[in-house]
Short mmCIF file of all heavy atoms in Angstrom, two decimals:
data_model
loop_
_atom_site.label_atom_id
_atom_site.label_comp_id
_atom_site.label_asym_id
_atom_site.label_seq_id
_atom_site.Cartn_x
_atom_site.Cartn_y
_atom_site.Cartn_z
N GLU A 32 6.20 9.07 -0.40
CA GLU A 32 6.59 9.55 0.97
C GLU A 32 5.69 10.73 1.47
O GLU A 32 5.43 11.62 0.74
CB GLU A 32 8.03 10.06 0.97
CG GLU A 32 9.01 9.03 0.43
CD GLU A 32 8.74 7.63 1.02
OE1 GLU A 32 9.07 7.42 2.16
OE2 GLU A 32 8.31 6.77 0.25
N LYS A 36 -0.44 8.27 4.66
CA LYS A 36 -1.16 6.89 4.77
C LYS A 36 -1.54 6.58 6.20
O LYS A 36 -2.62 6.31 6.49
CB LYS A 36 -0.26 5.83 4.18
CG LYS A 36 -0.09 5.78 2.73
CD LYS A 36 0.75 4.63 2.21
CE LYS A 36 2.18 4.72 2.78
NZ LYS A 36 2.45 3.98 4.02
N SER A 37 -0.52 6.70 7.09
CA SER A 37 -0.82 6.34 8.49
C SER A 37 -1.94 7.23 9.05
O SER A 37 -2.83 6.69 9.69
CB SER A 37 0.50 6.55 9.35
OG SER A 37 1.54 6.00 8.71
N SER A 38 -1.90 8.54 8.72
CA SER A 38 -2.93 9.40 9.31
C SER A 38 -4.28 9.04 8.80
O SER A 38 -5.27 9.15 9.51
CB SER A 38 -2.61 10.92 8.90
OG SER A 38 -1.28 11.12 9.08
N ARG A 70 11.07 -6.77 7.28
CA ARG A 70 10.88 -5.31 7.18
C ARG A 70 12.06 -4.53 7.79
O ARG A 70 12.61 -3.62 7.17
CB ARG A 70 9.61 -4.90 7.86
CG ARG A 70 9.36 -3.43 7.86
CD ARG A 70 8.11 -3.04 8.72
NE ARG A 70 7.94 -1.59 8.72
CZ ARG A 70 7.16 -0.94 7.84
NH1 ARG A 70 6.45 -1.59 7.02
NH2 ARG A 70 7.03 0.37 7.89
N ARG A 116 0.03 -0.52 2.11
CA ARG A 116 0.85 -0.94 1.02
C ARG A 116 0.66 -2.47 0.64
O ARG A 116 0.46 -3.31 1.54
CB ARG A 116 2.38 -0.73 1.21
CG ARG A 116 2.68 0.78 1.40
CD ARG A 116 4.24 0.91 1.25
NE ARG A 116 4.67 2.31 1.58
CZ ARG A 116 4.65 3.28 0.68
NH1 ARG A 116 4.09 3.12 -0.43
NH2 ARG A 116 5.09 4.49 1.11
N THR A 121 5.25 -2.53 -4.89
CA THR A 121 6.35 -3.20 -5.53
C THR A 121 6.58 -2.69 -6.96
O THR A 121 7.71 -2.43 -7.40
CB THR A 121 6.14 -4.75 -5.52
OG1 THR A 121 5.67 -5.12 -4.26
CG2 THR A 121 7.44 -5.48 -5.88
N GLN A 125 10.06 -0.98 -6.59
CA GLN A 125 11.07 -1.79 -7.23
C GLN A 125 11.04 -1.70 -8.75
O GLN A 125 12.08 -1.73 -9.45
CB GLN A 125 10.94 -3.29 -6.82
CG GLN A 125 11.41 -3.61 -5.42
CD GLN A 125 10.66 -2.86 -4.26
OE1 GLN A 125 9.41 -2.92 -4.20
NE2 GLN A 125 11.35 -2.18 -3.49
N1 Z5A B 312 8.09 -0.75 -0.03
C1 Z5A B 312 8.62 -1.23 -1.22
O1 Z5A B 312 9.59 -0.66 -1.67
N2 Z5A B 312 8.05 -2.21 -1.94
C2 Z5A B 312 6.97 -2.85 -1.48
O2 Z5A B 312 6.43 -3.75 -2.11
C3 Z5A B 312 6.38 -2.37 -0.20
C4 Z5A B 312 6.95 -1.39 0.52
C5 Z5A B 312 5.14 -3.10 0.31
C6 Z5A B 312 8.05 1.32 4.09
O3 Z5A B 312 6.77 1.67 3.90
C7 Z5A B 312 8.80 1.29 2.82
O4 Z5A B 312 8.71 0.03 2.10
C8 Z5A B 312 8.33 2.38 1.81
C9 Z5A B 312 8.17 1.65 0.53
C10 Z5A B 312 8.73 0.32 0.76
N3 Z5A B 312 9.28 3.36 1.66
N4 Z5A B 312 9.52 4.24 2.36
N5 Z5A B 312 9.82 5.04 3.01
P1 Z5A B 312 5.90 2.53 4.85
O5 Z5A B 312 4.63 2.72 4.27
O6 Z5A B 312 5.94 1.94 6.23
O7 Z5A B 312 6.68 3.93 4.97
P2 Z5A B 312 6.37 5.40 4.57
O8 Z5A B 312 6.02 5.53 3.19
O9 Z5A B 312 7.44 6.23 5.16
O10 Z5A B 312 4.86 5.59 5.31
P3 Z5A B 312 4.48 6.22 6.72
O11 Z5A B 312 5.66 6.23 7.66
O12 Z5A B 312 3.28 5.57 7.13
O13 Z5A B 312 4.28 7.75 6.26
P4 Z5A B 312 3.03 8.39 5.46
O14 Z5A B 312 1.87 7.45 5.53
O15 Z5A B 312 3.49 8.71 4.15
O16 Z5A B 312 2.66 9.62 6.13
P5 Z5A B 312 2.10 9.97 7.71
O17 Z5A B 312 3.06 9.37 8.75
O18 Z5A B 312 0.67 9.66 7.94
O19 Z5A B 312 2.26 11.52 7.55
C11 Z5A B 312 3.44 12.19 7.36
C12 Z5A B 312 3.48 13.48 8.13
O20 Z5A B 312 2.63 14.38 7.47
C13 Z5A B 312 2.96 13.36 9.56
O21 Z5A B 312 3.69 14.32 10.34
C14 Z5A B 312 1.54 13.81 9.49
O22 Z5A B 312 1.02 14.33 10.67
C15 Z5A B 312 1.58 14.86 8.34
N6 Z5A B 312 0.34 14.90 7.47
C16 Z5A B 312 -0.35 13.88 7.09
N7 Z5A B 312 -1.40 14.27 6.33
C17 Z5A B 312 -1.35 15.63 6.28
C18 Z5A B 312 -2.13 16.64 5.69
N8 Z5A B 312 -3.13 16.42 4.97
N9 Z5A B 312 -1.77 17.88 5.90
C19 Z5A B 312 -0.60 18.25 6.61
N10 Z5A B 312 0.20 17.33 7.26
C20 Z5A B 312 -0.18 16.02 7.10
#
Side-chain angles (χ1 to χ4, degrees):
E32 305 316 288
K36 286 183 298 92
S37 309
S38 314
R70 178 187 179 91
R116 297 194 187 280
T121 314
Q125 282 64 54

